[in-house]
Amino acid sequence: MSNKMWGGRFAEKPAAIMQEINASVGFDYKLAAQDIAGSLAHVEMLAQTGLVSREDAEAISRGLAEIRGEIESGAFTFSPELEDIHMNIESRLAAKIGAAAGRLHTARSRNDQVAVDFRLWVRDTIDHLDAQLRDLQQALAEKAVEHAGSLMPGFTHLQTAQPVTFGHHLLAYVEMFSRDRSRFCDARARLNECPLGAAALAGTSFPIDREATAKALGFDRPTANSLDSVADRDFVLEPLADAAICAVHLSRFAEEIVLWTTAQFGFVRLTDQFSTGSSIMPQKRNPDAAELVRGKSGRVIGALAGLLIVMKGLPLAYSKDMQEDKEGAFDALQTLSLSIAAMAGMVRDLEPDLKKMKAAAGDGYATATDLADWLVRELKMPFREAHHVTGRLVALASDRKIGLQKLSLNELQSVEPRITKEIYDVLGVENSVKSRTSYGGTAPKNVRAQAKRWLSRLAKEKPAT
Ligand code: ARG
């Protein structure tokens, strides 16, 4: 038998391999809830506009609600012969209510149907990711308040640069995740237009009410061009780009956790809950979750590249290539969700070794810039000259294998006679961070204020679901 949904002009069944390459229900079953929501809105509009009788519309709606129950309970059988989720549901509806089921597809095509379903799915997913990112920011900001004054080395080129506070470092990620959230929010606002009613590509001759379906599905308005409605997938690409950027932020933080938990750094410890052992080396505690967050970013970035490539050569309007929009996006956004959750878990779990971080903050002449700034401020030396003098002092300390604060006043004066003992005030790491009071700087009082500002801002939002 040919396909019962579209087989009117076909005498033969498709080849098995044809069916295999064509069927999408193996993955687009994930759109079931959205497909039913879209159909309920559509049939209600068809009844309102008199395109379908109230009686048929009620039978269709009841049938769809029952199917939703079957899918939720696991009783529904998905069948690859019926190609995709849309035809699986419609065929089940026909089995339940008979010929009236065929009226549901009036003034609609699978092309606008899949576009509306997928937009709804992406929108729901963005809302979920936003709540998760909020929770991650909360975990970071709480740790940042606690560690507003905890010293650690700041790095450039992964070489000790200047002392910072651990809280300041954590708040850097709160800022990044805030921009990630605002990117997702922008994408959500742009995607929130309803393509239902664009039909196959040209719109429809039936007097439908697109405003009504858009409103019923929580969209801001109907899309304005029927070709664009079924032909573009930027509503997936843009969130994937946002996801890729967010995954890169997570990956960089994960990389830091990997570094910090090494014996060589020893800045933080993850408890047993977030560490794994080695089957051969009994001493090991591996930060697998952090490594996986770092590794999984590859899949997220790959999904964006994959869909860009699918789309780049397609003429308007719909082509079946576009069925390839789903698996990568499902995987990437679910992977991101898992990564955010794992990161929030690690942030709450990690215990910094404050002694070790403080000692490292003082290593590597991290206060050399403070010394140079002192020469500028107190001796009115031009910065370039101060940089040079400091360089000579660092060389002297380095020859003697001691820190800058361990040089005697005589030794300091052998390079620059005008130096006084007041210079020792800026050579300690505590004084160094305390002095960084410029807006956005690492001074503990700045960090505490910023962390508290974040906590009160986050408290005003709705909590994670
Ligand atoms: N399963 C299809 C997809 O995901 C639905 C749209 C099919 N439309 C068509 N004209 N063949 O893209």
Side-chain angles (χ1 to χ4, degrees):
M1 194 191 65
S2 67
N3 187 299
K4 44 179 171 160
M5 310 305 288
W6 47 247
R9 64 166 293 184
F10 290 80
E12 276 189 274
K13 268 173 58 148
I17 197 68
M18 173 63 209
Q19 191 180 294
E20 194 177 332
I21 194 171
N22 202 30
S24 56
V25 71
F27 47 89
D28 67 16
Y29 71 88
K30 285 202 165 81
L31 301 177
Q34 290 79 7
D35 195 68
I36 289 170
S39 290
L40 286 170
H42 186 64
V43 76
E44 176 56 28
M45 179 278 290
L46 292 177
Q48 293 280 352
T49 50
L51 291 165
V52 162
S53 71
R54 190 36 80 187
E55 196 190 345
D56 283 347
E58 262 157 30
I60 291 170
S61 301
R62 227 177 357 234
L64 288 169
E66 281 172 31
I67 293 170
R68 182 167 52 205
E70 291 170 10
I71 292 173
E72 281 167 3
S73 73
F76 192 92
T77 325
F78 296 96
S79 134
E81 295 88 73
L82 291 162
E83 225 179 290
D84 55 24
I85 185 63
H86 323 293
M87 296 201 291
N88 267 268
I89 289 175
E90 199 185 318
S91 160
R92 179 77 187 124
L93 186 64
K96 278 180 164 301
I97 69 165
R103 299 192 190 281
L104 170 61
H105 215 50
T106 311
R108 186 177 76 166
S109 149
R110 272 185 299 152
N111 295 350
D112 58 339
Q113 191 178 354
V114 72
V116 78
D117 293 2
F118 205 15
R119 277 186 198 238
L120 289 171
W121 186 88
V122 172
R123 195 177 73 182
D124 291 347
T125 304
I126 287 177
D127 291 345
H128 182 66
L129 289 170
D130 182 69
Q132 285 191 289
L133 284 168
R134 184 210 158 277
D135 179 59
L136 175 55
Q137 288 182 300
Q138 174 87 26
L140 286 162
E142 279 166 9
K143 272 256 145 85
V145 173
E146 199 184 323
H147 293 291
S150 305
L151 298 164
M152 72 177 278
F155 300 91
T156 60
H157 313 264
L158 197 55
Q159 307 284 327
T160 304
Q162 293 173 357
V164 296
T165 72
F166 186 46
H168 196 53
H169 196 112
L170 297 175
L171 288 183
Y173 286 101
V174 174
E175 297 289 335
M176 291 180 233
F177 296 130
S178 161
R179 290 193 298 278
D180 291 335
R181 291 180 68 191
S182 104
R183 265 184 286 274
F184 276 123
C185 173
D186 289 349
R188 191 196 195 282
R190 256 187 295 282
L191 73 74
N192 206 29
E193 294 187 344
C194 186
L196 195 57
L201 75 165
T204 175
S205 56
F206 291 105
I208 57 171
D209 182 352
R210 292 193 60 206
E211 293 285 347
T213 41
K215 189 156 174 245
L217 293 167
F219 288 105
D220 296 329
R221 63 191 80 83
T223 50
N225 180 295
S226 62
L227 290 168
D228 173 50
S229 310
V230 296
D232 205 0
R233 287 294 180 269
D234 59 357
F235 68 85
V236 197
L237 287 169
E238 191 176 357
L240 282 178
D242 301 344
I245 295 170
C246 181
V248 167
H249 289 152
L250 288 165
S251 181
R252 294 182 70 177
F253 191 25
E255 163 65 6
E256 295 191 316
I257 293 174
V258 171
L259 282 174
W260 292 346
T261 53
T262 58
Q264 289 74 10
F265 270 84
F267 287 3
V268 306
R269 188 174 179 281
L270 291 170
T271 70
D272 289 358
Q273 287 198 48
F274 280 90
S275 304
T276 53
S278 155
S279 52
I280 178 165
M281 296 165 285
Q283 84 283 12
K284 297 271 300 230
R285 291 177 66 81
N286 294 329
D288 289 31
E291 293 167 88
L292 286 162
V293 167
R294 187 178 59 184
K296 282 176 189 293
S297 63
R299 282 162 63 172
V300 180
I301 296 163
L304 170 64
L307 186 55
L308 285 167
I309 296 165
V310 167
M311 297 305 296
K312 80 173 186 61
L314 299 183
L316 304 190
Y318 177 85
S319 296
K320 197 63 176 257
D321 312 48
M322 287 161 70
Q323 185 164 283
E324 291 297 312
D325 59 357
K326 292 175 201 66
E327 284 167 290
F330 288 154
D331 180 72
L333 298 180
Q334 272 154 17
T335 296
L336 185 68
S337 167
L338 178 59
S339 299
I340 298 167
M343 190 53 94
M346 280 188 280
V347 169
R348 293 198 163 98
D349 185 73
L350 62 80
E351 296 159 0
D353 183 335
L354 301 179
K355 268 210 187 108
K356 209 145 182 190
M357 290 205 294
K358 183 178 173 188
D363 287 347
Y365 309 106
T367 55
T369 315
D370 299 273
L371 196 162
D373 288 350
W374 187 90
L375 297 173
V376 170
R377 207 170 43 243
E378 304 299 326
L379 305 183
K380 311 288 175 238
M381 210 181 260
F383 183 76
R384 286 292 164 216
E385 192 186 332
H387 186 285
H388 186 77
V389 168
T390 306
R392 288 179 56 205
L393 289 169
V394 167
L396 187 65
S398 166
D399 284 346
R400 298 202 40 216
K401 297 195 173 28
I402 54 172
L404 285 170
Q405 73 285 7
K406 292 277 156 64
L407 289 172
S408 70
L409 189 57
N410 276 346
E411 284 169 314
L412 293 168
Q413 288 173 342
S414 71
V415 174
E416 170 48 63
R418 289 177 295 160
I419 290 178
T420 64
K421 66 177 185 340
E422 276 65 43
I423 199 164
Y424 290 104
D425 290 346
V426 301
L427 296 182
V429 284
E430 258 115 358
N431 286 336
S432 169
V433 296
K434 231 186 255 168
S435 73
R436 300 286 195 264
T437 51
S438 58
Y439 181 73
T442 198
K445 76 171 193 324
N446 281 16
V447 175
R448 202 166 293 112
Q450 288 281 8
K452 289 198 170 146
R453 182 183 65 88
W454 270 114
L455 286 176
S456 68
R457 193 171 141 178
L458 294 169
K460 286 185 201 122
E461 297 178 25
K462 67 177 179 3
T465 46

